[in-house]
Amino acid sequence: MSHIHIDIEKLSFSYDKDRRILDNISLQIGENESVGLVGANGVGKSTLLKLLVGLNTGFEGNIRIEEIPVTKNTLPRIREKLGYVFQDSDSQLFMSTVYEDVAFGPRNYGLPSEEVDRRVMDALRMTGIEHLKDKHVYKMSGGEKKLASIATILSMTPDIILMDEPSVALDPQNRRKLINILNSFTHLKIIASHDLDMILDTCSRTVLMSGGRVIFDGKTEEVLSNKELLEANGLELPLCMQRR
C-alpha cells in the first residue's frame, strides 16, 4: 500500500452524551482517490473532516493518517500531511493580505524566504489569483476569499486535501476554476459538499452518510444517479441528471 492513505476504524463521536454525531464508521481511502462526502445537513460530514485533522478530539475508535494515529501528541505531524479548507473562509484567513496568509504556513515551518515566495506564487497561480496578491482580505468578495483559502493549503504542498463545502460563495466561472484545481491535485482528497454536480465532476468515489452512519460507499455515478436512495436520505439528483 502507498504511504498516502487514511484508515478509519469503528469511529464514533458525540458533542454531548445524548446524541452520537458519528456512529461506528469505518473507511479506507488510498492515494490518488478522490472521495465525495455527501448527505443532508447534520449527518456528520463536517465533523468527520474535523476529526481527521484533529480539530475535534475525544472520539471512540481509531484514525490513522499515513500510519500515524491521530492523537493530541501527533497533531503537528498529522497537519504536515493534511490540508484542510474550512467551510467559512473567515476561519482560514487571518493575516492582512492574501500574500501574507498564503505565506503563513511555509514560514511557520521555517522554510527559506526564497522557497516561501516560490510556494506562495505557485499556489496563487494554481488558483488564478496572482492579481490579488497584495489585496487586503477584508476587501475581498466571498469567492475571492474561498480561492485564497485554497491557496493557503496548496502552498503547504500537502499529501491529502480535505475540503468542506468548497464551492460555497463561488460564481460559475470560479466554480469551474475550483473543479479544475481539484482535478489537477493527484493525491488523496475528500470533498464534503451539497453541490452534487461538483462531486460528479471531481470524485470517482462517493460516501453517502445519514444519521452519522455510512449508507453507501462506492462509485460516484452509481449513487448520484439513484434517485430513490438520494431522496430517502434528504438529497436530490444532481441538476445535470435532472435534465436527462
Side-chain angles (χ1 to χ4, degrees), residues 176-197:
R176 175 51 54 185
K177 185 184 295 183
L178 169 66
I179 288 170
N180 291 336
I181 292 167
L182 292 173
N183 287 336
S184 70
F185 183 80
T186 57
H187 290 322
L188 191 162
K189 52 186 175 284
I190 304 176
I191 305 162
S193 182
H194 288 105
D195 184 347
L196 300 189
D197 288 85

PDB file of all heavy atoms in Angstrom, residues 176-197:
ATOM      1  N   ARG A 176     -15.987  26.613 -11.764  1.00  0.00           N
ATOM      2  CA  ARG A 176     -15.304  25.805 -12.766  1.00  0.00           C
ATOM      3  C   ARG A 176     -13.795  25.809 -12.522  1.00  0.00           C
ATOM      4  O   ARG A 176     -13.126  24.779 -12.678  1.00  0.00           O
ATOM      5  CB  ARG A 176     -15.631  26.340 -14.174  1.00  0.00           C
ATOM      6  CG  ARG A 176     -14.875  25.656 -15.326  1.00  0.00           C
ATOM      7  CD  ARG A 176     -14.945  24.158 -15.312  1.00  0.00           C
ATOM      8  NE  ARG A 176     -16.304  23.643 -15.263  1.00  0.00           N
ATOM      9  CZ  ARG A 176     -16.595  22.349 -15.156  1.00  0.00           C
ATOM     10  NH1 ARG A 176     -15.614  21.460 -15.054  1.00  0.00           N
ATOM     11  NH2 ARG A 176     -17.850  21.950 -15.125  1.00  0.00           N
ATOM     12  N   LYS A 177     -13.262  26.945 -12.108  1.00  0.00           N
ATOM     13  CA  LYS A 177     -11.830  27.025 -11.778  1.00  0.00           C
ATOM     14  C   LYS A 177     -11.504  26.073 -10.622  1.00  0.00           C
ATOM     15  O   LYS A 177     -10.494  25.372 -10.635  1.00  0.00           O
ATOM     16  CB  LYS A 177     -11.470  28.466 -11.405  1.00  0.00           C
ATOM     17  CG  LYS A 177      -9.990  28.691 -11.151  1.00  0.00           C
ATOM     18  CD  LYS A 177      -9.737  30.120 -10.705  1.00  0.00           C
ATOM     19  CE  LYS A 177     -10.073  31.118 -11.787  1.00  0.00           C
ATOM     20  NZ  LYS A 177      -9.760  32.512 -11.369  1.00  0.00           N
ATOM     21  N   LEU A 178     -12.393  26.054  -9.610  1.00  0.00           N
ATOM     22  CA  LEU A 178     -12.203  25.152  -8.477  1.00  0.00           C
ATOM     23  C   LEU A 178     -12.192  23.700  -8.933  1.00  0.00           C
ATOM     24  O   LEU A 178     -11.334  22.919  -8.506  1.00  0.00           O
ATOM     25  CB  LEU A 178     -13.318  25.370  -7.442  1.00  0.00           C
ATOM     26  CG  LEU A 178     -13.411  24.321  -6.328  1.00  0.00           C
ATOM     27  CD1 LEU A 178     -12.180  24.372  -5.441  1.00  0.00           C
ATOM     28  CD2 LEU A 178     -14.676  24.530  -5.501  1.00  0.00           C
ATOM     29  N   ILE A 179     -13.122  23.329  -9.789  1.00  0.00           N
ATOM     30  CA  ILE A 179     -13.182  21.954 -10.281  1.00  0.00           C
ATOM     31  C   ILE A 179     -11.873  21.583 -10.988  1.00  0.00           C
ATOM     32  O   ILE A 179     -11.327  20.495 -10.790  1.00  0.00           O
ATOM     33  CB  ILE A 179     -14.394  21.775 -11.218  1.00  0.00           C
ATOM     34  CG1 ILE A 179     -15.687  21.803 -10.386  1.00  0.00           C
ATOM     35  CG2 ILE A 179     -14.297  20.469 -12.021  1.00  0.00           C
ATOM     36  CD1 ILE A 179     -16.951  21.885 -11.209  1.00  0.00           C
ATOM     37  N   ASN A 180     -11.339  22.498 -11.785  1.00  0.00           N
ATOM     38  CA  ASN A 180     -10.065  22.243 -12.466  1.00  0.00           C
ATOM     39  C   ASN A 180      -8.919  22.090 -11.472  1.00  0.00           C
ATOM     40  O   ASN A 180      -8.028  21.247 -11.655  1.00  0.00           O
ATOM     41  CB  ASN A 180      -9.764  23.376 -13.456  1.00  0.00           C
ATOM     42  CG  ASN A 180     -10.720  23.388 -14.637  1.00  0.00           C
ATOM     43  OD1 ASN A 180     -11.316  22.360 -14.984  1.00  0.00           O
ATOM     44  ND2 ASN A 180     -10.891  24.545 -15.259  1.00  0.00           N
ATOM     45  N   ILE A 181      -8.932  22.907 -10.403  1.00  0.00           N
ATOM     46  CA  ILE A 181      -7.903  22.804  -9.362  1.00  0.00           C
ATOM     47  C   ILE A 181      -7.966  21.435  -8.693  1.00  0.00           C
ATOM     48  O   ILE A 181      -6.953  20.751  -8.515  1.00  0.00           O
ATOM     49  CB  ILE A 181      -8.073  23.919  -8.313  1.00  0.00           C
ATOM     50  CG1 ILE A 181      -7.766  25.284  -8.910  1.00  0.00           C
ATOM     51  CG2 ILE A 181      -7.162  23.663  -7.100  1.00  0.00           C
ATOM     52  CD1 ILE A 181      -8.210  26.447  -8.022  1.00  0.00           C
ATOM     53  N   LEU A 182      -9.175  21.029  -8.328  1.00  0.00           N
ATOM     54  CA  LEU A 182      -9.350  19.739  -7.661  1.00  0.00           C
ATOM     55  C   LEU A 182      -8.909  18.590  -8.552  1.00  0.00           C
ATOM     56  O   LEU A 182      -8.269  17.640  -8.090  1.00  0.00           O
ATOM     57  CB  LEU A 182     -10.812  19.562  -7.245  1.00  0.00           C
ATOM     58  CG  LEU A 182     -11.303  20.490  -6.135  1.00  0.00           C
ATOM     59  CD1 LEU A 182     -12.799  20.331  -5.923  1.00  0.00           C
ATOM     60  CD2 LEU A 182     -10.557  20.224  -4.839  1.00  0.00           C
ATOM     61  N   ASN A 183      -9.242  18.670  -9.835  1.00  0.00           N
ATOM     62  CA  ASN A 183      -8.875  17.590 -10.746  1.00  0.00           C
ATOM     63  C   ASN A 183      -7.377  17.564 -11.057  1.00  0.00           C
ATOM     64  O   ASN A 183      -6.855  16.540 -11.500  1.00  0.00           O
ATOM     65  CB  ASN A 183      -9.696  17.688 -12.033  1.00  0.00           C
ATOM     66  CG  ASN A 183     -11.140  17.278 -11.829  1.00  0.00           C
ATOM     67  OD1 ASN A 183     -11.457  16.534 -10.906  1.00  0.00           O
ATOM     68  ND2 ASN A 183     -12.034  17.773 -12.670  1.00  0.00           N
ATOM     69  N   SER A 184      -6.693  18.683 -10.815  1.00  0.00           N
ATOM     70  CA  SER A 184      -5.251  18.719 -11.044  1.00  0.00           C
ATOM     71  C   SER A 184      -4.459  18.208  -9.844  1.00  0.00           C
ATOM     72  O   SER A 184      -3.272  17.910  -9.965  1.00  0.00           O
ATOM     73  CB  SER A 184      -4.799  20.145 -11.376  1.00  0.00           C
ATOM     74  OG  SER A 184      -4.897  20.991 -10.236  1.00  0.00           O
ATOM     75  N   PHE A 185      -5.124  18.111  -8.675  1.00  0.00           N
ATOM     76  CA  PHE A 185      -4.454  17.595  -7.481  1.00  0.00           C
ATOM     77  C   PHE A 185      -4.524  16.074  -7.519  1.00  0.00           C
ATOM     78  O   PHE A 185      -5.590  15.482  -7.411  1.00  0.00           O
ATOM     79  CB  PHE A 185      -5.133  18.134  -6.219  1.00  0.00           C
ATOM     80  CG  PHE A 185      -4.447  17.713  -4.937  1.00  0.00           C
ATOM     81  CD1 PHE A 185      -3.305  18.369  -4.501  1.00  0.00           C
ATOM     82  CD2 PHE A 185      -4.951  16.672  -4.177  1.00  0.00           C
ATOM     83  CE1 PHE A 185      -2.663  17.980  -3.332  1.00  0.00           C
ATOM     84  CE2 PHE A 185      -4.317  16.278  -3.004  1.00  0.00           C
ATOM     85  CZ  PHE A 185      -3.171  16.936  -2.578  1.00  0.00           C
ATOM     86  N   THR A 186      -3.381  15.427  -7.678  1.00  0.00           N
ATOM     87  CA  THR A 186      -3.372  13.995  -7.977  1.00  0.00           C
ATOM     88  C   THR A 186      -3.313  13.111  -6.746  1.00  0.00           C
ATOM     89  O   THR A 186      -3.447  11.893  -6.857  1.00  0.00           O
ATOM     90  CB  THR A 186      -2.187  13.655  -8.896  1.00  0.00           C
ATOM     91  OG1 THR A 186      -0.966  14.076  -8.261  1.00  0.00           O
ATOM     92  CG2 THR A 186      -2.333  14.345 -10.234  1.00  0.00           C
ATOM     93  N   HIS A 187      -3.084  13.681  -5.567  1.00  0.00           N
ATOM     94  CA  HIS A 187      -3.056  12.867  -4.355  1.00  0.00           C
ATOM     95  C   HIS A 187      -4.474  12.664  -3.824  1.00  0.00           C
ATOM     96  O   HIS A 187      -5.465  12.973  -4.471  1.00  0.00           O
ATOM     97  CB  HIS A 187      -2.158  13.511  -3.300  1.00  0.00           C
ATOM     98  CG  HIS A 187      -0.705  13.478  -3.637  1.00  0.00           C
ATOM     99  ND1 HIS A 187      -0.116  12.397  -4.249  1.00  0.00           N
ATOM    100  CD2 HIS A 187       0.288  14.387  -3.446  1.00  0.00           C
ATOM    101  CE1 HIS A 187       1.182  12.648  -4.414  1.00  0.00           C
ATOM    102  NE2 HIS A 187       1.442  13.843  -3.948  1.00  0.00           N
ATOM    103  N   LEU A 188      -4.544  12.162  -2.608  1.00  0.00           N
ATOM    104  CA  LEU A 188      -5.827  11.852  -1.980  1.00  0.00           C
ATOM    105  C   LEU A 188      -6.579  13.132  -1.619  1.00  0.00           C
ATOM    106  O   LEU A 188      -5.994  14.069  -1.066  1.00  0.00           O
ATOM    107  CB  LEU A 188      -5.553  11.020  -0.720  1.00  0.00           C
ATOM    108  CG  LEU A 188      -6.681  10.326   0.016  1.00  0.00           C
ATOM    109  CD1 LEU A 188      -6.093   9.230   0.920  1.00  0.00           C
ATOM    110  CD2 LEU A 188      -7.495  11.277   0.862  1.00  0.00           C
ATOM    111  N   LYS A 189      -7.883  13.156  -1.908  1.00  0.00           N
ATOM    112  CA  LYS A 189      -8.704  14.293  -1.494  1.00  0.00           C
ATOM    113  C   LYS A 189     -10.090  13.816  -1.102  1.00  0.00           C
ATOM    114  O   LYS A 189     -10.629  12.864  -1.676  1.00  0.00           O
ATOM    115  CB  LYS A 189      -8.796  15.357  -2.586  1.00  0.00           C
ATOM    116  CG  LYS A 189      -9.205  14.895  -3.962  1.00  0.00           C
ATOM    117  CD  LYS A 189      -9.117  16.040  -4.959  1.00  0.00           C
ATOM    118  CE  LYS A 189      -9.400  15.585  -6.385  1.00  0.00           C
ATOM    119  NZ  LYS A 189      -8.278  14.863  -6.989  1.00  0.00           N
ATOM    120  N   ILE A 190     -10.644  14.480  -0.085  1.00  0.00           N
ATOM    121  CA  ILE A 190     -12.002  14.220   0.380  1.00  0.00           C
ATOM    122  C   ILE A 190     -12.750  15.539   0.343  1.00  0.00           C
ATOM    123  O   ILE A 190     -12.293  16.537   0.913  1.00  0.00           O
ATOM    124  CB  ILE A 190     -12.023  13.638   1.802  1.00  0.00           C
ATOM    125  CG1 ILE A 190     -11.177  12.370   1.896  1.00  0.00           C
ATOM    126  CG2 ILE A 190     -13.464  13.344   2.232  1.00  0.00           C
ATOM    127  CD1 ILE A 190     -11.075  11.797   3.297  1.00  0.00           C
ATOM    128  N   ILE A 191     -13.895  15.549  -0.323  1.00  0.00           N
ATOM    129  CA  ILE A 191     -14.664  16.782  -0.516  1.00  0.00           C
ATOM    130  C   ILE A 191     -16.064  16.571   0.037  1.00  0.00           C
ATOM    131  O   ILE A 191     -16.823  15.741  -0.470  1.00  0.00           O
ATOM    132  CB  ILE A 191     -14.739  17.138  -2.012  1.00  0.00           C
ATOM    133  CG1 ILE A 191     -13.331  17.233  -2.619  1.00  0.00           C
ATOM    134  CG2 ILE A 191     -15.504  18.449  -2.211  1.00  0.00           C
ATOM    135  CD1 ILE A 191     -13.320  17.157  -4.132  1.00  0.00           C
ATOM    136  N   ALA A 192     -16.404  17.299   1.098  1.00  0.00           N
ATOM    137  CA  ALA A 192     -17.757  17.272   1.648  1.00  0.00           C
ATOM    138  C   ALA A 192     -18.551  18.402   1.009  1.00  0.00           C
ATOM    139  O   ALA A 192     -18.140  19.559   1.068  1.00  0.00           O
ATOM    140  CB  ALA A 192     -17.715  17.440   3.162  1.00  0.00           C
ATOM    141  N   SER A 193     -19.686  18.069   0.392  1.00  0.00           N
ATOM    142  CA  SER A 193     -20.413  19.116  -0.327  1.00  0.00           C
ATOM    143  C   SER A 193     -21.857  18.719  -0.587  1.00  0.00           C
ATOM    144  O   SER A 193     -22.187  17.534  -0.744  1.00  0.00           O
ATOM    145  CB  SER A 193     -19.728  19.415  -1.663  1.00  0.00           C
ATOM    146  OG  SER A 193     -20.386  20.461  -2.344  1.00  0.00           O
ATOM    147  N   HIS A 194     -22.726  19.758  -0.638  1.00  0.00           N
ATOM    148  CA  HIS A 194     -24.089  19.585  -1.127  1.00  0.00           C
ATOM    149  C   HIS A 194     -24.161  19.800  -2.644  1.00  0.00           C
ATOM    150  O   HIS A 194     -25.211  19.574  -3.251  1.00  0.00           O
ATOM    151  CB  HIS A 194     -25.036  20.580  -0.439  1.00  0.00           C
ATOM    152  CG  HIS A 194     -25.297  20.254   0.993  1.00  0.00           C
ATOM    153  ND1 HIS A 194     -24.729  20.946   2.033  1.00  0.00           N
ATOM    154  CD2 HIS A 194     -26.066  19.290   1.558  1.00  0.00           C
ATOM    155  CE1 HIS A 194     -25.137  20.422   3.181  1.00  0.00           C
ATOM    156  NE2 HIS A 194     -25.945  19.424   2.918  1.00  0.00           N
ATOM    157  N   ASP A 195     -23.064  20.268  -3.237  1.00  0.00           N
ATOM    158  CA  ASP A 195     -23.006  20.519  -4.675  1.00  0.00           C
ATOM    159  C   ASP A 195     -22.722  19.189  -5.378  1.00  0.00           C
ATOM    160  O   ASP A 195     -21.567  18.851  -5.672  1.00  0.00           O
ATOM    161  CB  ASP A 195     -21.915  21.553  -4.964  1.00  0.00           C
ATOM    162  CG  ASP A 195     -21.833  21.953  -6.426  1.00  0.00           C
ATOM    163  OD1 ASP A 195     -22.446  21.269  -7.274  1.00  0.00           O
ATOM    164  OD2 ASP A 195     -21.156  22.953  -6.723  1.00  0.00           O
ATOM    165  N   LEU A 196     -23.772  18.425  -5.619  1.00  0.00           N
ATOM    166  CA  LEU A 196     -23.594  17.076  -6.152  1.00  0.00           C
ATOM    167  C   LEU A 196     -23.071  17.082  -7.584  1.00  0.00           C
ATOM    168  O   LEU A 196     -22.398  16.134  -8.009  1.00  0.00           O
ATOM    169  CB  LEU A 196     -24.908  16.299  -6.065  1.00  0.00           C
ATOM    170  CG  LEU A 196     -25.472  16.115  -4.645  1.00  0.00           C
ATOM    171  CD1 LEU A 196     -26.658  15.153  -4.669  1.00  0.00           C
ATOM    172  CD2 LEU A 196     -24.412  15.627  -3.664  1.00  0.00           C
ATOM    173  N   ASP A 197     -23.358  18.150  -8.332  1.00  0.00           N
ATOM    174  CA  ASP A 197     -22.796  18.249  -9.680  1.00  0.00           C
ATOM    175  C   ASP A 197     -21.282  18.379  -9.621  1.00  0.00           C
ATOM    176  O   ASP A 197     -20.568  17.791 -10.443  1.00  0.00           O
ATOM    177  CB  ASP A 197     -23.404  19.440 -10.417  1.00  0.00           C
ATOM    178  CG  ASP A 197     -24.859  19.194 -10.801  1.00  0.00           C
ATOM    179  OD1 ASP A 197     -25.739  19.438  -9.965  1.00  0.00           O
ATOM    180  OD2 ASP A 197     -25.103  18.740 -11.924  1.00  0.00           O
TER     181      ASP A 197
END
